[in-house]
Amino acid sequence: AKEKERCIMKITAAADMTVSEKRRLFIGVLMLFMFSGIIAGTIFVIKDNESRFIASEFINQHLIKSTTERSMIKVFSDSFLPLLFTLSIQAICGLFAFGQPLCILTLFHRGIAGGISAALIYINYGIKGFFIILIMLLPVLLFSMFILVLGARESIKSSNTILNFAFGKDKDNEQRVEIKLYIIKFVVLAAFALLSSVLDCTITYIFTGLLLKP
């Protein structure tokens, strides 16, 4: 009986949450998927002794920092294209009723890439790697995580609306997906991804010689 009362209290508390509180909770849950990816990426580095898995550019998303010489255009494209690709996948997922799992997977994937990069930096540079992570990886990673979490939120909201309509739970069309507004939101997020990549280029240009080279 007590367990039943607790469940009822939890349901009641969730129902009493304001819109802003529900939004923060939703974003927090999405962030958890990304942080779990970071943990998974770190484990992959420990387990993948031959570096076959973590060396894949599809897996690490070019987040790995190294002394390899690259032009600024190359640095920018390596930073921007994976973000743009992920946002595109999220936007497409939002147009389908069951696009939520794949959309969540994009967050987990980005987290894995960040975890791999951070772990490799620490392994290669030791204590110095902490400062490299703090200065060269963390700002860009957090910025991109914020962008992708917002993209996932919009995508999942859209998928849920389509799903509800498909099962007859939203026939009044008050929450129908407005394609034009939906696309505009992702264009804005792509613009933020552009800024994130410019930030990545700037940080890489300034600190590669100072922190990465012996």
Side-chain angles (χ1 to χ4, degrees):
K2 290 184 178 180
E3 186 64 28
K4 187 176 180 180
E5 288 179 3
R6 291 194 192 100
C7 291
I8 293 173
M9 290 177 64
K10 289 179 180 179
I11 294 172
T12 304
D16 291 339
M17 292 175 66
T18 64
V19 174
S20 61
E21 287 173 339
K22 289 180 179 178
R23 186 182 296 114
R24 286 195 295 269
L25 177 62
F26 187 27
I27 290 177
V29 171
L30 294 177
M31 290 293 291
L32 282 178
F33 283 105
M34 194 164 278
F35 283 120
S36 64
I38 292 176
I39 295 172
T42 304
I43 294 173
F44 286 147
V45 172
I46 297 172
K47 297 293 185 180
D48 189 13
N49 295 325
E50 297 182 0
S51 300
R52 291 178 181 177
F53 180 79
I54 61 179
S56 169
E57 293 178 351
F58 175 75
I59 300 299
N60 62 52
Q61 295 192 2
H62 297 283
L63 283 176
I64 297 175
K65 303 298 180 181
S66 67
T67 56
T68 303
E69 290 188 8
R70 294 181 294 168
S71 65
M72 292 300 291
I73 294 176
K74 177 64 174 172
V75 173
F76 175 81
S77 64
D78 285 347
S79 178
F80 179 64
L81 293 181
L83 267 180
L84 184 63
F85 176 77
T86 304
L87 282 172
S88 300
I89 295 297
Q90 290 180 341
I92 293 171
C93 287
L95 302 177
F96 295 90
F98 296 99
Q100 302 91 336
L102 181 56
C103 185
I104 290 174
L105 189 60
T106 63
L107 300 180
F108 188 70
H109 183 196
R110 186 66 175 184
I112 287 175
I116 287 173
S117 184
L120 287 178
I121 289 172
Y122 190 79
I123 288 173
N124 291 330
Y125 293 93
I127 297 300
K128 183 182 176 183
F130 173 78
F131 297 100
I132 296 173
I133 294 170
L134 187 64
I135 296 172
M136 296 188 68
L137 177 64
L138 198 59
V140 175
L141 183 60
L142 290 178
F143 195 179
S144 66
M145 286 171 67
F146 176 73
I147 293 167
L148 295 180
V149 164
L150 291 182
R153 184 189 68 177
E154 296 302 323
S155 177
I156 293 173
K157 281 171 57 181
S158 175
S159 290
N160 288 343
T161 300
I162 295 172
L163 183 64
N164 288 335
F165 181 78
F167 283 90
K169 296 181 180 180
D170 186 27
K171 289 189 175 181
D172 58 4
N173 286 333
E174 289 182 0
Q175 294 183 339
R176 67 186 182 276
V177 178
E178 297 182 8
I179 298 298
K180 186 177 180 180
L181 178 60
Y182 181 73
I183 293 174
I184 289 174
K185 288 179 179 180
F186 273 94
V187 169
V188 171
L189 290 175
F192 279 115
L194 188 70
L195 289 177
S196 175
S197 300
V198 170
L199 174 64
D200 195 6
C201 281
T202 304
I203 291 174
T204 300
Y205 177 77
I206 295 173
F207 291 102
T208 295
L210 295 174
L211 294 176
L212 296 183
K213 293 182 180 180

